[in-house]
Amino acid sequence: MTTTEQQSVLFDKVCIIGIGLIGSSLARALKQAQLATYIHAVDQSEAARGDAAALGIADDVTSDVSVAADCDLIIIATPVGVMPDVLATLSGIVKEGAIIMDVGSVKGSVASAGEAMPAHFHVVPAHPIAGTENSGPAAGFAELFQQRWCILTPLNRQNEDYAAAVSKVEKLWRGIGSDVVSMDASHHDLALAVTSHLPHLIAFTLVGAADDVENVNEAEVVKYSAGGFRDFTRIAASDPVMWRDVFLHNKDAVLEVLGRFSEELAVMQRAIRWGDAEALEKAFTRSRGLRQAIIEAGQETAEPNFGRDKK
Amino acid sequence: MTTTEQQSVLFDKVCIIGIGLIGSSLARALKQAQLATYIHAVDQSEAARGDAAALGIADDVTSDVSVAADCDLIIIATPVGVMPDVLATLSGIVKEGAIIMDVGSVKGSVASAGEAMPAHFHVVPAHPIAGTENSGPAAGFAELFQQRWCILTPLNRQNEDYAAAVSKVEKLWRGIGSDVVSMDASHHDLALAVTSHLPHLIAFTLVGAADDVENVNEAEVVKYSAGGFRDFTRIAASDPVMWRDVFLHNKDAVLEVLGRFSEELAVMQRAIRWGDAEALEKAFTRSRGLRQAIIEAGQETAEPNFGRDKK
C-alpha cells in the first residue's frame, strides 16, 4: 500500500454534491488525510442523506446546494448527465477563486460546459479510475483511490490562477494516494471508452443476453456461473443511471471502439465456424501478456481468481 | 466452507492423464480426502512431469500411459481435442470393470466417443465447474472443487454395472466437496456455452481488440484498466490450447449463444446511437439481480471488487 503523503490542510471548506460511492469515498479520504477542515455533503436523495448522516462521513448533510457559497472547493460527484446543470447553478453561487472539480467518467461534456463559465472561479475536471460495483454512501471507503490513477483534463485557460487551481487539485489526489496524469478531454474519453466504457457495455449485454437462451434457465446460469460468467456480473451490477449517462455523453468514442470490438468478434466467429484452430490459438495466446503487465503495474491482484476463493 | 465428507477409500489405483490445473488439483484432492490409495500421474510434457514430481502430488509420474492397465479409475484431464484419441488408446489397455472419467469442458464429443467403446469398462464423462486462469501442475490446489458443481453426463447404458460406476464417480466428487448433477451431454454443452464458453470468447476478444484502437497505447490500457477492463483479463489469461479445443468441439452451441449476444449488442448499439436513455437504463437495471442470486448460491464472493483490493 502506498502511504498517504503527509499534508497540511489544502481546503478550508469543501462541498461534495452527490454523496454516493465516489463522493462519500472522497469525503472519507479527505478527512482521513486531513486535507479539508469542514465538509458539506449535498444530495437530492433523502435516503442517501440519511445514510451519509448516520455514517458521519461529512460535517453536515443537506439538500441545499447554496451551502457551496462559502466553499473553497466544490466537488460534483453526480451522474454525468446532470453535471452541466449543476455547474450552471453553482456559477451563480460560488465565491471568487473557488475551485469546482467534477469526478465524472466522461470529460468532454464537462469540459465544454466549463469553458463557457465565467473566469472568477476555476473548473478542474477530474476522473479517478477507481470504484466498485456498489453504490451509495455506505459503499464508499477512504482507501478507494490509493494506487489508482486520477486523470485531470484541465480547461484551455492560460493564466496563473487557473494553473494554481489545477496544481491544488493535483495535490488533493496525491494526498489521498492517487497517481495523477493530465490529458485532453477528448483523449480521455477515447482511452476510457477502451478501458472502462466498452467493458461495462459488454458486461451489461452479456449478463442480459443470458436470459434469452432457450432451454437454459436462470437457475442453471447461477449454478454454473463459476465457469466464467460470474466475472461479468460484477461490473454489470454497477449503477444503471450513472452508466446510462456515460453512454449518452460519450457516444462517439464508445461507438468507435464498439465497432473495433465487433469486427474482432466477427473474425473469431468465422474462425470457430470454419474450425480454424491456428487462428483461435494465436488470438488466445496474445492476451496473456496484458494481464501480467496490469499486475506488474499494481492495478490488479496476482492472486488466481482475484483471490476471491480464499476462505 | 463445506466440510469434506468423511470417506473410506473409493479407488485403489488411480491414473490421471494430464497433470495440469485440473488433473493436479484432483490428485491433491483425492489424496487429501483419502479417496485413492495410489495415484499415477501421466503427462506428455517433460516440464509438467518435472513440476509434478517436484511437488509430490502423485505417487509416481511418467509419460507411459500403460500404467493405466491395472487402475480402477483413469481420469482424462487433457485438452478436449485429444480426448477421443486417449480414450481409444485406453480401450486397448484398461482392465475389465475399470472406470474412465474425463473432466473436459465439452461433453458431446466425449459422449459420442464413449458410446462407441466396448462395455467391459465404464466411461463416465464429468465436468467440474471450477478453475482459475492459471495452468500447470503448480497452479492446482486441493480445495478447487469445494462448493462447486460437477456435472455428469452419463452414457446411455442401462445396466447395473454402469449405474454402479456412475454412482462411484458421484461419490468421488462429493468426497472432495462438490455438488453433483446429471444431465444430457447436449444440454451441458448449451448451458456451458452460456455460462463459460461465450464469456471466455468475449473476454479473449475484448482484450485482443484493445490493441487495435488508434491513439490509445498499451501503456494507457494497463494504467486505466481498473475502470473495468482488468476484470476481463483474468479469464483471457486462461490456457489457449484448452480454449481452442473448447470452441472447436462445441461449435454449434457457441455460435448459437454468440448469435443471441450479438443481437443484444446491436440493440444496445442502436440505443446509444439514438440516445435512448430509457432503453439503456432498463437494460442496465435488470442485470443487478443476477449477481445477487449468484452470491446467495455460494458461487461468488459478496466482497466489492471480488475482495481483490484488500491489502
Side-chain angles (χ1 to χ4, degrees):
Chain A
M1 193 195 297
T2 308
T3 314
T4 306
E5 290 166 32
Q6 282 302 317
Q7 293 283 351
S8 51
V9 168
L10 268 176
F11 297 98
D12 186 25
K13 289 197 174 174
V14 174
C15 173
I16 301 179
I17 301 174
I19 196 75
L21 170 67
I22 300 294
S24 75
S25 294
L26 271 170
R28 291 168 168 103
L30 291 174
K31 281 285 182 190
Q32 193 178 78
Q34 298 182 303
L35 296 177
T37 310
Y38 191 96
I39 299 180
H40 299 280
V42 179
D43 207 292
Q44 298 313 305
S45 153
E46 198 178 328
R49 289 198 303 274
D51 287 351
L55 290 161
I57 50 187
D59 295 292
D60 72 79
V61 182
T62 175
S63 64
D64 181 9
V65 77
S66 71
V67 296
D70 68 344
C71 288
D72 312 293
L73 172 67
I74 300 99
I75 299 173
I76 310 179
T78 65
V80 169
V82 297
M83 282 183 184
D85 281 352
V86 173
L87 200 50
T89 302
L90 287 172
S91 72
I93 293 175
V94 300
K95 67 178 185 184
E96 177 139 1
I99 296 174
I100 301 180
M101 173 178 78
D102 86 294
V103 290
S105 303
V106 181
K107 301 264 67 90
S109 51
V110 170
S112 303
E115 298 284 4
M117 290 287 141
H120 70 275
F121 59 88
H122 309 298
V123 176
V124 183
H127 180 203
I129 315 305
T132 80
E133 64 276 28
N134 296 334
S135 314
F141 52 99
E143 299 77 16
L144 180 62
F145 309 104
Q146 289 179 2
Q147 281 186 283
R148 295 289 166 263
W149 286 89
C150 180
I151 300 176
L152 305 184
T153 62
L155 305 184
N156 188 23
R157 293 201 169 162
Q158 314 288 345
N159 64 69
E160 278 179 28
D161 285 356
Y162 188 71
V166 172
S167 170
K168 226 172 156 185
V169 164
E170 191 171 331
K171 275 193 188 133
L172 179 159
W173 290 104
R174 293 199 192 279
I176 59 175
S178 291
D179 289 317
V180 180
V181 63
S182 289
M183 62 180 70
D184 284 350
S186 63
H187 185 71
H188 167 278
D189 288 356
L190 182 62
L192 271 289
V194 174
T195 65
S196 178
H197 307 172
L198 180 64
H200 276 78
L201 183 69
I202 297 301
F204 281 125
T205 304
L206 185 86
V207 173
D211 278 352
D212 292 339
V213 177
E214 276 168 50
N215 303 320
V216 178
N217 62 40
E218 190 179 299
E220 290 183 303
V221 173
V222 168
K223 274 182 181 172
Y224 313 133
S225 61
F229 183 83
R230 62 177 175 167
D231 283 23
F232 290 74
T233 64
R234 189 187 76 76
I235 60 178
S238 301
D239 184 52
V241 170
M242 173 195 154
W243 283 96
R244 176 200 69 190
D245 280 4
V246 166
F247 294 111
L248 295 175
H249 288 81
N250 198 22
K251 182 174 89 168
D252 293 344
V254 168
L255 291 177
E256 163 70 16
V257 300
L258 175 54
R260 305 293 179 111
F261 171 80
S262 295
E263 281 168 30
E264 188 75 14
L265 190 59
V267 170
M268 302 292 260
Q269 183 168 4
R270 188 175 185 284
I272 292 171
R273 193 179 297 284
W274 293 94
D276 188 342
E278 200 182 334
L280 292 173
E281 189 180 338
K282 197 174 156 193
F284 299 166
T285 300
R286 73 171 178 171
S287 32
R288 281 195 147 174
L290 201 49
R291 180 168 181 81
Q292 196 49 43
I294 291 170
I295 291 168
E296 283 163 16
Q299 299 301 310
E300 178 60 288
T301 175
E303 295 275 348
N305 268 335
F306 305 119
R308 58 151 79 97
D309 293 333
K310 285 200 174 155
K311 314 276 173 165
Chain B
M1 191 195 297
T2 308
T3 314
T4 305
E5 291 166 30
Q6 281 303 316
Q7 293 282 349
S8 50
V9 168
L10 267 176
F11 297 98
D12 185 25
K13 289 196 173 172
V14 173
C15 173
I16 301 178
I17 302 174
I19 196 77
L21 170 67
I22 300 294
S24 75
S25 293
L26 271 170
R28 291 169 168 103
L30 291 174
K31 282 285 182 190
Q32 193 179 79
Q34 297 182 305
L35 297 177
T37 310
Y38 192 96
I39 300 179
H40 299 281
V42 179
D43 206 292
Q44 298 313 303
S45 153
E46 198 179 328
R49 289 199 303 274
D51 287 350
L55 290 160
I57 50 186
D59 295 293
D60 71 79
V61 181
T62 175
S63 63
D64 181 9
V65 75
S66 71
V67 296
D70 68 343
C71 288
D72 311 293
L73 171 68
I74 300 98
I75 300 172
I76 311 179
T78 66
V80 170
V82 298
M83 282 184 185
D85 280 353
V86 173
L87 199 51
T89 302
L90 287 172
S91 73
I93 293 174
V94 300
K95 67 178 184 182
E96 177 142 359
I99 296 173
I100 301 181
M101 173 178 78
D102 85 294
V103 291
S105 303
V106 182
K107 301 265 63 93
S109 51
V110 170
S112 304
E115 298 283 2
M117 290 287 142
H120 69 276
F121 59 87
H122 309 298
V123 177
V124 183
H127 180 205
I129 316 303
T132 79
E133 65 275 27
N134 296 335
S135 314
F141 51 100
E143 299 77 18
L144 181 62
F145 309 106
Q146 288 179 2
Q147 282 185 282
R148 294 290 166 263
W149 285 90
C150 181
I151 300 177
L152 305 184
T153 62
L155 304 184
N156 188 22
R157 291 199 168 161
Q158 313 288 344
N159 64 68
E160 279 180 25
D161 285 355
Y162 188 70
V166 172
S167 170
K168 226 171 153 184
V169 164
E170 190 170 332
K171 275 192 188 134
L172 180 158
W173 290 104
R174 294 201 193 277
I176 60 175
S178 291
D179 290 318
V180 180
V181 63
S182 290
M183 63 179 70
D184 284 349
S186 63
H187 185 70
H188 167 279
D189 288 355
L190 183 62
L192 271 290
V194 174
T195 65
S196 178
H197 307 173
L198 181 64
H200 276 78
L201 183 69
I202 296 301
F204 280 125
T205 304
L206 184 86
V207 173
D211 277 352
D212 293 339
V213 177
E214 275 167 52
N215 302 322
V216 178
N217 62 41
E218 191 179 298
E220 290 183 305
V221 172
V222 167
K223 274 182 181 173
Y224 313 133
S225 60
F229 183 83
R230 61 177 177 167
D231 283 24
F232 290 74
T233 64
R234 190 188 75 77
I235 60 179
S238 302
D239 184 53
V241 171
M242 174 196 153
W243 283 98
R244 176 200 70 191
D245 280 4
V246 167
F247 294 111
L248 295 175
H249 288 81
N250 197 23
K251 182 175 90 168
D252 293 343
V254 168
L255 291 177
E256 163 71 17
V257 301
L258 175 53
R260 303 294 178 110
F261 171 79
S262 294
E263 280 168 32
E264 189 76 13
L265 189 59
V267 171
M268 303 293 262
Q269 184 168 2
R270 189 175 185 283
I272 292 170
R273 193 180 297 284
W274 293 95
D276 189 343
E278 200 182 335
L280 292 173
E281 189 179 338
K282 196 174 158 194
F284 299 165
T285 300
R286 72 173 178 168
S287 34
R288 280 195 148 173
L290 202 50
R291 181 167 181 81
Q292 196 50 43
I294 291 170
I295 291 168
E296 283 163 16
Q299 298 302 308
E300 178 61 285
T301 176
E303 294 275 347
N305 268 336
F306 305 118
R308 58 151 79 97
D309 293 332
K310 286 201 173 154
K311 315 275 173 165

